[in-house]
Amino acid sequence: NAGVTQTPKFQVLKTGQSMTLQCAQDMNHNSMYWYRQDPGMGLRLIYYSASEGTTDKGEVPNGYNVSRLNKREFSLRLESAAPSQTSVYFCAARTGASYSYNEQFFGPGTRLTVL
Amino acid sequence: AQTVTQSQPEMSVQEAETVTLSCTYDTSESDYYLFWYKQPPSRQMILVIRQEAYKQQNATENRFSVNFQKAAKSFSLKISDSQLGDAAMYFCAYRTPAGGTSYGKLTFGQGTILTVHP
């Protein structure tokens, strides 16, 4: 099992370009998440999907859109990239069992630089 | 909103010694979960240990243990017999139960970089 996979691992964009970060999980988990990691700020939640067909904003959603394509895949789109979106992006997945401390499993991350 | 604070940006320890990383959090919830994640240079997020708030007993995983003080809203990580492979960024994280509207979202602290000296 690959767990959570992300593509690409690295990306450089110019301001105004668009791109989609892909995330897939093979653990049959219901919930999926997108975080960004910036120095000195830990990981912050961008969007999440509690289950297939649903998405909700997290702490820092501005400038991003998401699609929960099916149970396995959850993509993050930057429509018009800005230098402030330079960051490391992590996708995570978790079983959606209520009142459970089941952990989130993280992908390897995508380092995005916007020039 | 919940907040998590790690007041130590960097810590260092000698190999085989013990080190404690601090974490405090703010919440009005009575039931929640706390986690410590390790992030080595590979960037992979690895769960180290977790604690349920309703359990008074501190969690332990081999050389890793926590000191959970619910009234003080403190959740420190103790690493005993430190090894070179423990060198990493460590994140404290908070989560409410997945029921309701939180859907298992994690709130992270700022992170602490741990250096292990041989």
Side-chain angles (χ1 to χ4, degrees), chain A residues 22-38:
Chain A
Q22 306 285 355
C23 174
Q25 52 105 359
D26 62 2
M27 299 175 289
N28 201 37
H29 285 344
N30 292 326
S31 300
M32 297 185 74
Y33 310 82
W34 275 107
Y35 295 90
R36 61 177 288 173
Q37 180 180 10
D38 302 295

Side-chain angles (χ1 to χ4, degrees), chain A residues 47-106:
Chain A
Y47 270 93
Y48 67 100
S49 171
S51 61
E52 184 179 356
T54 68
T55 61
D56 283 287
K57 296 178 180 179
E59 183 184 352
V60 288
N62 290 344
Y64 306 95
N65 286 302
V66 291
S67 295
R68 184 73 183 269
L69 304 171
N70 46 56
K71 192 171 186 178
R72 288 188 65 250
E73 300 172 287
F74 187 39
S75 62
L76 179 72
R77 183 160 179 83
L78 287 70
E79 291 291 351
S80 179
S84 61
Q85 294 178 304
T86 294
S87 188
V88 179
Y89 291 85
F90 286 95
C91 177
R94 177 187 174 277
T95 180
S98 296
Y99 299 100
S100 161
Y101 66 26
N102 290 351
E103 65 182 284
Q104 289 188 16
F105 292 89
F106 285 82

Side-chain angles (χ1 to χ4, degrees), chain B:
Chain B
Q2 295 85 12
T3 59
V4 179
T5 302
Q6 294 178 247
S7 59
Q8 305 156 318
E10 298 182 25
M11 291 285 285
S12 64
V13 64
Q14 291 293 131
E15 198 175 4
E17 298 292 310
T18 296
V19 65
T20 297
L21 308 184
S22 300
C23 173
T24 59
Y25 57 94
D26 186 25
T27 182
S28 59
E29 304 282 346
S30 60
D31 190 19
Y32 48 87
Y33 306 105
L34 296 164
F35 304 83
W36 279 98
Y37 279 88
K38 172 185 178 181
Q39 186 181 45
S42 67
R43 287 206 309 254
Q44 185 68 49
M45 295 288 286
I46 302 165
L47 179 67
V48 174
I49 198 165
R50 56 190 162 197
Q51 174 82 40
E52 294 160 288
Y54 68 85
K55 289 187 175 179
Q56 293 186 343
Q57 186 174 4
N58 289 326
T60 299
E61 291 285 344
N62 300 315
R63 298 182 295 106
F64 299 87
S65 61
V66 299
N67 183 6
F68 173 49
Q69 302 288 330
K70 190 172 185 178
K73 297 180 181 176
S74 170
F75 182 60
S76 61
L77 174 70
K78 186 172 81 170
I79 306 174
S80 303
D81 186 25
S82 297
Q83 300 176 359
L84 295 177
D86 295 334
M89 173 84 83
Y90 286 82
F91 290 100
C92 178
Y94 166 101
R95 181 168 73 71
T96 51
T101 59
S102 70
Y103 294 107
K105 295 179 291 184
L106 287 168
T107 300
F108 285 87
Q110 302 90 331
T112 298
I113 299 172
L114 178 66
T115 301
V116 181
H117 298 289

